[in-house]
Amino acid sequence: MLTVAETAALLRTFDNILILTHIRPDGDTVGCAAALCAGLRALGKTAYLLPNPGLTDTTTPYFMPYAAPAGFVPDKVVSTDIATVGLFPENAKPYAQRVDLAIDHHPSFERFGKANIVRPEAAACGELIYDILAELGPITADMALPLYVAISTDTGCFAYNNTTAQTHAVAAALMRTGIDFKTVNKVFFRTKTRKRMALEADMLNNMEFYDGGRVVFLYVPMSLMARLEATESDAEELSSLGGQIEGTDCAVTFRELRPNVWKLSVRTGPRINATNVRALLGGGGHAAAAGCTVEAPLADVKHRILRSIAQNAPDFAE
Amino acid sequence: MLTVAETAALLRTFDNILILTHIRPDGDTVGCAAALCAGLRALGKTAYLLPNPGLTDTTTPYFMPYAAPAGFVPDKVVSTDIATVGLFPENAKPYAQRVDLAIDHHPSFERFGKANIVRPEAAACGELIYDILAELGPITADMALPLYVAISTDTGCFAYNNTTAQTHAVAAALMRTGIDFKTVNKVFFRTKTRKRMALEADMLNNMEFYDGGRVVFLYVPMSLMARLEATESDAEELSSLGGQIEGTDCAVTFRELRPNVWKLSVRTGPRINATNVRALLGGGGHAAAAGCTVEAPLADVKHRILRSIAQNAPDFAE
């Protein structure tokens, strides 16, 4: 495992570099890749990002200035914010065995590169890229803007529990370069599509409470998505809505993927272990957030998850 | 006008201090007053906050440890985050002529104290209090926690346009004291009451678009508030909802105060000057946010504000 100084020294030896981002790319992987690309170009190197078919409207503007032209043949390959080769997009798979440097912040990072650096305590991989770029030279606004996207999106604009003092210290340094952070905040944190708003309104209108109001169920049936002509992008992170409802410490979001196939997202507070709840139905996750997919009619799925919650929730009120 | 060093020196000469907060107290005024009180007590002084009848459930826990007992007779009076004596709560009015030190960050600050300090470029008054406390001695977690409340709430958790690099630098310093910022973020930024959720759902279900989708109207009639048994606290900042809708650059929220009396909040992007829109109906505000109260049936109010928007919006589509 490399140090920041060793990583910077290694990057100085690279040229003709292709940078990889993960499948379903978020602000962190896109921001890290773009900032690193800008930093390498500032050293006079040729560097590009491998096009990622999963970009959204919000991340595209930060990615496109660095997208590799067709036919670019790299000498070196670097990955940013990718924990395992299983998270490579399809077009990145050919590079899985030849990643020269993998830079990540996930505890589950699998060290798949020839050289690797990881910082699991960082809220965003962008914090680590910041330190690497600072070692390579002055951080310009070209690098600071995508890094601000990386750090702000991975922390829900500094509101999630992964935020640290260091996160804010890096944000302060990035903003001192004069970047347009206001547009980033507006686009990522203060804008919702009309369809997203309609989705949330329907979920709130039809939510159901159990266990004396402590457990809430929210529904996203296929019929709702169809009626609103909503896209996957409109439905991103919908499961965070249930976690915001006052007085609840267990929110289950039921998303219908195919007829009678329901993806359940379970978010819990300290009283209930989400993984135990989900274990009775199959699936994976952490103590506070877990998910599983169940093939059954909705009434049956509800009955089973509610029984599982009752078995795992102290003082469950029938 | 005092400097930070002069303010700290003046505070060192004070004792038996009463600290005032503004009417409809927010996280900034409460957090500033509590932090200053903790800082003065750390110097061995007697200091209290004048009870404020407008505290909400979220701000109360940060205020109460410092609330003055009945009959406390101060030698010195300090105000925090209060721009004018017009914003004193009723029980603070007797002190209006005898404020020994007024500390504020509003551009409209009226220098009503015997001594005054203001920093209009600060996103939160908490940033200024931080500097004053740092001049007086080490910042402990007792001071840092309410200061984090002050700074995070006045910036919408670092998402509003008033946020600066300095805001983040202060947040980093506060978090290094080991405060429980996670609870603050959860309570202030990731929790909504069920009634609030229901209010938002109804507003989204009934919103209306004009001007090819660029203008959106949202409604909070008395009948809705009554049906949901919603309180003022549930309805706080409801006008921010309209500003989040993609594709719009003008959001008008119609809140019915009394039968046929509508309070209009107008939020606009660069295309439309909100004050000009509102001017045709009376009221005040800034270029991007303005408000007014109109006594008329809803259909009439809608017609008038829409005509006013059409006159002020280039390319308005009928």
Side-chain angles (χ1 to χ4, degrees):
Chain A
M1 199 68 64
L2 300 185
T3 65
V4 166
E6 289 165 351
T7 304
L10 182 64
L11 283 168
R12 284 189 185 281
T13 70
F14 285 6
D15 204 352
N16 296 313
I17 304 147
L18 186 67
I19 305 173
L20 310 180
T21 51
H22 64 65
I23 194 169
R24 292 186 298 273
D26 59 7
D28 196 18
T29 196
V30 169
C32 284
L36 181 60
C37 197
L40 292 169
R41 290 185 183 182
L43 297 175
K45 297 177 186 298
T46 298
Y48 290 108
L49 274 51
L50 181 69
N52 189 321
L55 293 174
T56 61
D57 289 350
T58 50
T59 51
T60 297
Y62 300 95
F63 189 102
M64 291 319 290
Y66 304 104
F72 174 65
V73 179
D75 292 326
K76 297 291 179 180
V77 178
V78 179
S79 70
T80 53
D81 193 41
I82 311 185
T84 86
V85 294
L87 295 172
F88 278 32
E90 214 44 54
N91 63 343
K93 293 262 157 83
Y95 301 101
Q97 302 307 315
R98 53 164 293 201
V99 174
D100 296 284
L101 172 63
I103 306 172
D104 191 37
H105 75 123
H106 296 94
S108 55
F109 177 59
E110 287 183 357
R111 306 178 179 216
F112 54 81
K114 294 173 193 168
N116 301 282
I117 180 168
V118 67
R119 187 183 290 170
E121 70 274 20
C125 190
E127 293 179 35
L128 177 54
I129 297 283
Y130 173 84
D131 283 353
I132 295 167
L133 289 177
E135 188 80 21
L136 285 170
I139 305 255
T140 62
D142 273 0
M143 306 168 211
L145 184 63
L147 282 183
Y148 182 82
V149 171
I151 289 168
S152 61
T153 56
D154 246 28
T155 58
C157 205
F158 311 96
Y160 295 161
N161 286 349
N162 59 358
T163 310
T164 67
Q166 182 60 15
T167 315
H168 282 284
V170 172
L174 297 175
M175 285 168 64
R176 282 195 197 100
T177 66
I179 54 171
D180 179 17
F181 67 96
K182 295 179 185 182
T183 296
V184 177
N185 288 352
K186 171 77 179 158
V187 168
F188 284 93
F189 310 111
R190 302 207 321 269
T191 302
K192 290 181 182 180
T193 65
R194 284 163 66 167
K195 289 172 183 177
R196 170 60 173 240
M197 294 244 174
L199 271 174
E200 293 191 3
D202 190 277
M203 290 169 70
L204 296 176
N205 274 328
N206 294 297
M207 62 186 173
E208 294 170 348
F209 291 91
Y210 301 94
D211 187 19
R214 291 181 293 185
V215 173
V216 62
F217 285 4
L218 301 105
Y219 305 98
V220 189
M222 290 176 67
S223 58
L224 174 63
M225 295 290 291
R227 175 163 59 80
L228 298 174
E229 298 179 12
T231 64
E232 275 313 302
S233 160
D234 296 318
E236 237 177 325
E237 282 277 335
L238 268 181
S239 57
S240 66
L241 190 62
Q244 294 177 20
I245 302 167
E246 190 181 37
T248 66
D249 68 354
C250 177
V252 184
T253 304
F254 297 72
R255 171 84 191 273
E256 191 178 21
L257 299 178
R258 295 182 298 281
N260 285 335
V261 177
W262 294 87
K263 180 168 175 289
L264 272 56
S265 302
V266 184
R267 302 213 173 188
T268 59
R271 183 173 64 118
I272 304 174
N273 184 307
T275 302
N276 292 348
V277 168
R278 184 270 320 140
L280 295 184
L281 293 88
H286 310 282
C292 59
T293 301
V294 184
E295 189 161 352
L298 180 58
D300 187 31
V301 180
K302 281 171 61 171
H303 180 73
R304 283 160 66 182
I305 189 80
L306 196 59
R307 206 176 47 194
S308 175
I309 292 167
Q311 285 174 24
N312 284 284
D315 308 321
F316 185 87
E318 289 291 348
Chain B
M1 200 67 64
L2 300 185
T3 65
V4 166
E6 289 164 351
T7 304
L10 182 63
L11 283 168
R12 284 188 186 280
T13 70
F14 285 7
D15 205 351
N16 296 313
I17 303 147
L18 186 67
I19 305 173
L20 310 181
T21 52
H22 63 66
I23 195 169
R24 292 185 298 274
D26 58 9
D28 196 18
T29 195
V30 168
C32 284
L36 181 60
C37 197
L40 293 169
R41 289 184 184 183
L43 297 176
K45 298 178 188 297
T46 297
Y48 290 108
L49 274 52
L50 181 69
N52 190 320
L55 294 174
T56 61
D57 290 350
T58 51
T59 51
T60 297
Y62 300 95
F63 189 102
M64 291 318 291
Y66 304 104
F72 174 65
V73 178
D75 291 326
K76 297 291 179 181
V77 177
V78 179
S79 70
T80 53
D81 193 42
I82 311 184
T84 87
V85 294
L87 295 171
F88 277 32
E90 216 39 59
N91 64 342
K93 294 260 157 85
Y95 301 102
Q97 302 307 315
R98 53 164 290 204
V99 174
D100 297 283
L101 172 63
I103 306 172
D104 191 37
H105 75 122
H106 296 94
S108 54
F109 177 58
E110 287 184 358
R111 305 179 180 215
F112 54 82
K114 293 174 195 168
N116 302 281
I117 180 168
V118 67
R119 186 183 291 170
E121 70 275 20
C125 189
E127 292 180 35
L128 177 53
I129 297 283
Y130 173 84
D131 283 353
I132 294 168
L133 288 176
E135 187 81 21
L136 285 170
I139 304 255
T140 63
D142 274 0
M143 306 168 212
L145 184 63
L147 282 183
Y148 182 82
V149 171
I151 289 167
S152 62
T153 56
D154 247 28
T155 58
C157 206
F158 311 96
Y160 294 161
N161 286 350
N162 60 356
T163 309
T164 67
Q166 181 61 14
T167 315
H168 281 285
V170 172
L174 297 175
M175 285 168 64
R176 284 195 195 100
T177 67
I179 54 171
D180 179 17
F181 68 95
K182 296 180 184 182
T183 296
V184 176
N185 287 352
K186 172 77 180 157
V187 168
F188 284 92
F189 309 111
R190 301 207 322 269
T191 303
K192 289 181 182 180
T193 65
R194 285 163 65 167
K195 288 173 183 176
R196 170 59 172 240
M197 293 244 174
L199 272 173
E200 292 190 3
D202 190 278
M203 290 168 72
L204 295 176
N205 273 327
N206 295 298
M207 62 187 173
E208 293 171 347
F209 291 90
Y210 301 94
D211 187 20
R214 290 182 291 185
V215 173
V216 60
F217 285 4
L218 301 105
Y219 305 98
V220 190
M222 290 177 69
S223 58
L224 174 63
M225 295 290 289
R227 175 163 60 80
L228 298 174
E229 299 180 13
T231 65
E232 275 314 302
S233 161
D234 296 316
E236 236 176 326
E237 283 276 338
L238 268 180
S239 56
S240 67
L241 189 62
Q244 294 177 20
I245 302 166
E246 190 181 36
T248 66
D249 68 354
C250 177
V252 184
T253 305
F254 296 73
R255 169 85 191 275
E256 191 179 19
L257 300 178
R258 295 182 298 282
N260 286 335
V261 177
W262 295 86
K263 180 168 176 292
L264 272 56
S265 302
V266 184
R267 302 212 173 189
T268 59
R271 183 176 60 119
I272 305 175
N273 184 308
T275 302
N276 292 348
V277 167
R278 183 270 320 139
L280 295 183
L281 293 88
H286 311 282
C292 60
T293 302
V294 184
E295 189 161 354
L298 180 59
D300 188 31
V301 180
K302 280 170 61 171
H303 180 74
R304 283 160 65 182
I305 189 79
L306 195 59
R307 207 175 44 196
S308 175
I309 292 167
Q311 285 174 24
N312 284 285
D315 308 320
F316 185 88
E318 289 292 346

